[in-house]
Amino acid sequence: MEPVDIGLWGVPLAILGGAIRVSTPFIFVSLGEAITERSGRINLGLEGTLVFGAMSAYATAVLTGSPWLGVLVAAATGAIFGLFHGWICKFPKVNDIAIGIALMLFGSGLAFFFGKPFIQPSAPDLPAIPFGWWSSIPQVQAALSINVLFLIGAALAVFLWWAFKNTRAGLILRVVGDSSDAARAMGLNPDTVRLFATATGGALAAIGGAYLSLYYPGSWSEGVSSGQGLMAVALVIFARWNPLGCFAAALLFGGAGALGPALQSVGVTQGYYLFYAAPYVLTLAIMILTSSPGRSLAGAPGELSITK
């Protein structure tokens, strides 16, 4: 069968496929940060956690031949980073943001040190489901080849949205995030709740890193993240700490990130590289809008550092 020319339809199809691929790490990191911030703690160290998760997942997949084992190891390392962050931040007069920046640098440096032997070896990729099997058009097939982790992230967003409102664990998380005094009056230990929330957030961020190294772009290098862990923090604020909002905002960021490659795929050879900056411009715009004196941080947990 001769190849089908789909003309201008190639751009939206490429953006759709790119949005799904690029958004997946944002989904996991933003959901993890939403859990952490709902408990009243901010973790800027997720960039380092994501990079170390990418390295540990790739190294595990190279050594064992199992990408899913790599994902599990990444989640475990992310949880350890989160526990370490939560343990330090429970001490009096310790600043969440300063510790997060320190752990971001520590995690990235540790990943670069231990990851050097794994830059050249090839690891098996995570599987994708070919939802475009019904079409003979290659662009449609490529756009609808969806990685399993994207589907897991979408289901997790819906579950967390429901759990925050309808479960005892969600109520505990919201009470601790809104008022430590109210939590203590209920017999809760805010430090313990925040410790586990930060560990969970770290585990999810590291899974996002595993996706980067084991599927898209599908390799380990020191520049694999491109600041996605930090951008996800802005994304959570933009989404107003709502998991469904995080999912939608991640797709928006993913679409912005896919714009440059989409234009290149249809033959735009001049100026397309400027669109590679779209996610960073979008992040800057979101931070300006959410920091405007005329806008309140609606939905922000009362104990969060940025609200004090």
Side-chain angles (χ1 to χ4, degrees):
M1 182 179 294
E2 295 183 0
V4 179
D5 183 9
I6 58 174
L8 292 177
W9 282 103
V11 174
L13 280 173
I15 292 176
L16 171 64
I20 293 173
R21 288 191 295 271
V22 176
S23 68
T24 303
F26 284 118
I27 292 171
F28 280 94
V29 181
S30 64
L31 290 177
E33 181 64 6
I35 293 172
T36 301
E37 293 190 15
R38 280 279 190 148
S39 74
R41 174 164 292 150
I42 188 169
N43 184 2
L44 294 184
L46 291 183
E47 172 72 10
T49 303
L50 180 142
V51 174
F52 194 85
M55 185 281 298
S56 59
Y58 196 81
T60 301
V62 168
L63 295 174
T64 67
S66 172
W68 288 113
L69 185 58
V71 173
L72 291 177
V73 170
T77 61
I80 292 172
F81 270 86
L83 286 171
F84 187 53
H85 183 278
W87 176 73
I88 293 177
C89 290
K90 76 175 184 178
F91 293 106
K93 298 183 180 180
V94 172
N95 185 279
D96 291 2
I97 296 176
I99 294 299
I101 294 173
L103 289 180
M104 175 183 67
L105 298 174
F106 175 73
S108 299
L110 210 60
F112 300 160
F113 177 78
F114 287 110
K116 287 189 180 297
F118 299 98
I119 293 177
Q120 293 298 328
S122 178
D125 291 338
L126 289 165
I129 300 176
F131 285 105
W133 58 268
W134 49 271
S135 176
S136 61
I137 302 175
Q139 292 91 331
V140 174
Q141 294 176 352
L144 297 181
S145 181
I146 299 177
N147 185 267
V148 176
L149 281 182
F150 175 82
L151 301 176
I152 294 174
L156 183 61
V158 175
F159 171 76
L160 288 176
W161 170 79
W162 173 83
F164 282 166
K165 295 182 177 181
N166 299 286
T167 66
R168 184 173 184 272
L171 174 62
I172 290 173
L173 194 69
R174 289 188 288 118
V175 169
V176 170
D178 286 334
S179 173
S180 294
D181 292 336
R184 293 189 184 95
M186 294 174 60
L188 301 172
N189 187 330
D191 289 334
T192 301
V193 174
R194 288 178 185 138
L195 181 69
F196 285 107
T198 309
T200 302
L204 291 178
I207 291 175
Y211 173 90
L212 286 174
S213 61
L214 294 178
Y215 187 74
Y216 184 80
S219 62
W220 159 247
S221 67
E222 295 182 357
V224 70
S225 170
S226 303
Q228 293 184 39
L230 286 174
M231 285 191 286
V233 177
L235 188 153
V236 173
I237 299 172
F238 174 66
R240 291 294 183 261
W241 297 270
N242 184 326
L244 291 182
C246 289
F247 179 76
L251 284 175
L252 178 63
F253 272 59
L259 190 56
L263 292 174
Q264 187 180 13
S265 69
V266 295
V268 177
T269 58
Q270 293 185 346
Y272 72 88
Y273 51 86
L274 293 176
F275 289 94
Y276 281 95
Y280 306 98
V281 174
L282 186 60
T283 301
L284 180 61
I286 286 172
M287 292 304 296
I288 292 174
L289 289 174
T290 55
S291 300
S292 171
R295 291 173 59 93
S296 61
L297 290 173
E303 292 288 329
L304 198 61
S305 299
I306 60 173
T307 63
K308 293 183 175 181

